[in-house]
Amino acid sequence: MGKSDTATPRERYRAQVRTEIKEHAWQQIATAGASALSLNAIAKQMGVSGPALYRYFAGRDELITELIRDAYRSLADTLGAAAAEGADLSGLAHVLRGWALADPHRYFLLYGTPVPGYHAPDDTTAISSEIMATLLTACAALVPEAPEAQAATEAPFAAHLEKHRAWAGDHPAPPAALHLAMSFWTRMHGVLSLELAGHFTGMGFDPDRLFAAELDALLP
């Protein structure tokens, strides 16, 4: 029996209102960006008073945090499901791009310019760590166990990451896999951020082909 099956009518109503508030918040973000998010404006759209909404979210920051949690959860679950079905690192890259293209504003809330004055609570990083763990596992699967891998392991940045791996949590990935994961993360997000921000518009090439070429150059 799921949680919704045991919820009281009051709890179900509260969940419905919170969902409606978040839907209006995403519409505001799509129109004016996260920095312009306003509970009072959402209240006006919903035909209620501003104070009424503060019974559901204590303020703008709590609402942004909820949206960030939802976005991270969506991406973590999407990548996790793909990995469970056998997607390798290349497959995960295309899943990431598809997720980003489906909702650019959601993507930019996670990986775009930080919202001025907002500081995300520590628990949001726990969900983002799931995403990195999925990628680290895929990277570790690509790192050969043969002696040839030693050269990659001894590369200066890989050696640096071996001693500075807090970002990888307790994942047992070897240095070469850490290096690949970090390179994957920065290069894929770099291309995606430029594409979603419209910087390729009018340049006359296919961003999908650029993404594929960058991915091919990255993979061992």
Side-chain angles (χ1 to χ4, degrees), residues 72 76 122-136 166-171:
Y72 270 133
D122 292 341
D123 67 331
T124 58
T125 62
I127 308 175
S128 64
S129 294
E130 291 182 38
I131 298 170
M132 186 57 71
T134 298
L135 297 178
L136 282 166
W167 58 277
D170 58 1
H171 198 286

Short mmCIF file of all heavy atoms in Angstrom, two decimals, residues 72 76 122-136 166-171:
data_model
loop_
_atom_site.label_atom_id
_atom_site.label_comp_id
_atom_site.label_asym_id
_atom_site.label_seq_id
_atom_site.Cartn_x
_atom_site.Cartn_y
_atom_site.Cartn_z
N TYR A 72 16.34 17.06 -9.40
CA TYR A 72 17.41 16.08 -9.16
C TYR A 72 16.83 14.65 -9.11
O TYR A 72 17.41 13.72 -9.65
CB TYR A 72 18.13 16.37 -7.85
CG TYR A 72 19.32 17.28 -7.97
CD1 TYR A 72 19.51 18.34 -7.09
CD2 TYR A 72 20.29 17.07 -8.95
CE1 TYR A 72 20.61 19.18 -7.18
CE2 TYR A 72 21.39 17.91 -9.05
CZ TYR A 72 21.55 18.96 -8.17
OH TYR A 72 22.65 19.78 -8.28
N ALA A 76 18.00 11.70 -11.51
CA ALA A 76 18.58 10.51 -10.89
C ALA A 76 17.80 9.26 -11.27
O ALA A 76 18.38 8.22 -11.60
CB ALA A 76 18.62 10.68 -9.37
N ASP A 122 21.91 21.06 2.46
CA ASP A 122 22.85 19.96 2.20
C ASP A 122 22.17 18.71 1.65
O ASP A 122 22.78 17.95 0.90
CB ASP A 122 23.61 19.60 3.48
CG ASP A 122 24.56 20.70 3.92
OD1 ASP A 122 24.91 21.55 3.07
OD2 ASP A 122 24.95 20.71 5.10
N ASP A 123 20.91 18.48 2.00
CA ASP A 123 20.29 17.22 1.59
C ASP A 123 20.06 17.14 0.09
O ASP A 123 19.86 16.05 -0.45
CB ASP A 123 18.98 16.98 2.34
CG ASP A 123 17.89 17.98 1.98
OD1 ASP A 123 18.23 19.13 1.63
OD2 ASP A 123 16.70 17.63 2.06
N THR A 124 20.10 18.29 -0.60
CA THR A 124 19.93 18.22 -2.06
C THR A 124 21.14 17.57 -2.71
O THR A 124 21.02 16.95 -3.78
CB THR A 124 19.72 19.62 -2.66
OG1 THR A 124 20.85 20.44 -2.34
CG2 THR A 124 18.45 20.27 -2.14
N THR A 125 22.30 17.67 -2.08
CA THR A 125 23.50 17.06 -2.66
C THR A 125 23.45 15.54 -2.58
O THR A 125 24.12 14.86 -3.34
CB THR A 125 24.77 17.57 -1.97
OG1 THR A 125 24.73 17.20 -0.58
CG2 THR A 125 24.88 19.07 -2.08
N ALA A 126 22.65 15.01 -1.65
CA ALA A 126 22.53 13.55 -1.53
C ALA A 126 21.91 12.97 -2.80
O ALA A 126 22.34 11.92 -3.28
CB ALA A 126 21.70 13.19 -0.31
N ILE A 127 20.93 13.67 -3.34
CA ILE A 127 20.30 13.19 -4.58
C ILE A 127 21.25 13.35 -5.76
O ILE A 127 21.37 12.46 -6.60
CB ILE A 127 18.98 13.92 -4.85
CG1 ILE A 127 18.06 13.88 -3.64
CG2 ILE A 127 18.27 13.31 -6.06
CD1 ILE A 127 16.79 14.69 -3.79
N SER A 128 21.96 14.47 -5.81
CA SER A 128 22.90 14.67 -6.91
C SER A 128 24.03 13.64 -6.85
O SER A 128 24.58 13.26 -7.89
CB SER A 128 23.48 16.09 -6.88
OG SER A 128 24.25 16.31 -5.73
N SER A 129 24.34 13.16 -5.65
CA SER A 129 25.37 12.12 -5.52
C SER A 129 24.94 10.81 -6.16
O SER A 129 25.77 10.05 -6.65
CB SER A 129 25.70 11.89 -4.04
OG SER A 129 26.30 13.03 -3.47
N GLU A 130 23.63 10.55 -6.18
CA GLU A 130 23.12 9.36 -6.86
C GLU A 130 23.43 9.43 -8.35
O GLU A 130 23.77 8.43 -8.98
CB GLU A 130 21.62 9.22 -6.65
CG GLU A 130 21.18 8.90 -5.24
CD GLU A 130 19.68 8.75 -5.16
OE1 GLU A 130 19.08 8.19 -6.11
OE2 GLU A 130 19.09 9.19 -4.16
N ILE A 131 23.28 10.62 -8.91
CA ILE A 131 23.55 10.82 -10.33
C ILE A 131 25.01 10.54 -10.62
O ILE A 131 25.35 9.81 -11.56
CB ILE A 131 23.16 12.25 -10.74
CG1 ILE A 131 21.67 12.49 -10.52
CG2 ILE A 131 23.56 12.52 -12.20
CD1 ILE A 131 21.25 13.94 -10.67
N MET A 132 25.89 11.11 -9.80
CA MET A 132 27.31 10.91 -10.01
C MET A 132 27.70 9.45 -9.81
O MET A 132 28.56 8.91 -10.54
CB MET A 132 28.12 11.81 -9.07
CG MET A 132 29.62 11.78 -9.33
SD MET A 132 30.08 12.23 -11.04
CE MET A 132 29.73 13.99 -11.03
N ALA A 133 27.08 8.76 -8.86
CA ALA A 133 27.38 7.35 -8.63
C ALA A 133 27.03 6.51 -9.85
O ALA A 133 27.77 5.58 -10.23
CB ALA A 133 26.64 6.84 -7.40
N THR A 134 25.92 6.82 -10.49
CA THR A 134 25.53 6.10 -11.70
C THR A 134 26.57 6.29 -12.80
O THR A 134 26.96 5.34 -13.49
CB THR A 134 24.15 6.58 -12.19
OG1 THR A 134 23.17 6.31 -11.19
CG2 THR A 134 23.75 5.89 -13.48
N LEU A 135 27.04 7.53 -12.95
CA LEU A 135 28.05 7.81 -13.97
C LEU A 135 29.40 7.18 -13.63
O LEU A 135 30.09 6.66 -14.51
CB LEU A 135 28.20 9.32 -14.15
CG LEU A 135 26.96 10.05 -14.65
CD1 LEU A 135 27.23 11.54 -14.74
CD2 LEU A 135 26.52 9.51 -16.01
N LEU A 136 29.77 7.20 -12.35
CA LEU A 136 31.03 6.59 -11.94
C LEU A 136 31.04 5.09 -12.21
O LEU A 136 32.05 4.53 -12.65
CB LEU A 136 31.29 6.86 -10.46
CG LEU A 136 31.81 8.25 -10.12
CD1 LEU A 136 31.71 8.51 -8.62
CD2 LEU A 136 33.26 8.41 -10.59
N ALA A 166 36.28 13.75 -2.72
CA ALA A 166 35.08 13.95 -1.90
C ALA A 166 33.82 14.00 -2.76
O ALA A 166 32.75 13.54 -2.35
CB ALA A 166 35.22 15.22 -1.07
N TRP A 167 33.94 14.57 -3.96
CA TRP A 167 32.81 14.69 -4.87
C TRP A 167 32.27 13.33 -5.30
O TRP A 167 31.12 13.22 -5.75
CB TRP A 167 33.21 15.50 -6.11
CG TRP A 167 34.35 14.88 -6.86
CD1 TRP A 167 35.68 15.03 -6.57
CD2 TRP A 167 34.29 13.98 -7.97
NE1 TRP A 167 36.46 14.30 -7.45
CE2 TRP A 167 35.62 13.63 -8.31
CE3 TRP A 167 33.24 13.44 -8.70
CZ2 TRP A 167 35.92 12.78 -9.37
CZ3 TRP A 167 33.54 12.58 -9.75
CH2 TRP A 167 34.87 12.26 -10.08
N ALA A 168 33.10 12.27 -5.19
CA ALA A 168 32.69 10.93 -5.62
C ALA A 168 32.08 10.13 -4.48
O ALA A 168 31.71 8.97 -4.67
CB ALA A 168 33.90 10.18 -6.19
N GLY A 169 31.99 10.72 -3.29
CA GLY A 169 31.41 10.01 -2.16
C GLY A 169 32.24 8.79 -1.80
O GLY A 169 33.47 8.84 -1.82
N ASP A 170 31.55 7.69 -1.50
CA ASP A 170 32.27 6.47 -1.14
C ASP A 170 32.37 5.48 -2.31
O ASP A 170 32.62 4.30 -2.11
CB ASP A 170 31.60 5.79 0.06
CG ASP A 170 30.14 5.44 -0.20
OD1 ASP A 170 29.65 5.72 -1.32
OD2 ASP A 170 29.49 4.90 0.72
N HIS A 171 32.18 5.98 -3.53
CA HIS A 171 32.26 5.11 -4.70
C HIS A 171 33.71 4.62 -4.86
O HIS A 171 34.64 5.42 -4.79
CB HIS A 171 31.82 5.85 -5.96
CG HIS A 171 31.48 4.93 -7.09
ND1 HIS A 171 32.44 4.27 -7.82
CD2 HIS A 171 30.27 4.56 -7.61
CE1 HIS A 171 31.85 3.53 -8.75
NE2 HIS A 171 30.54 3.68 -8.64
#
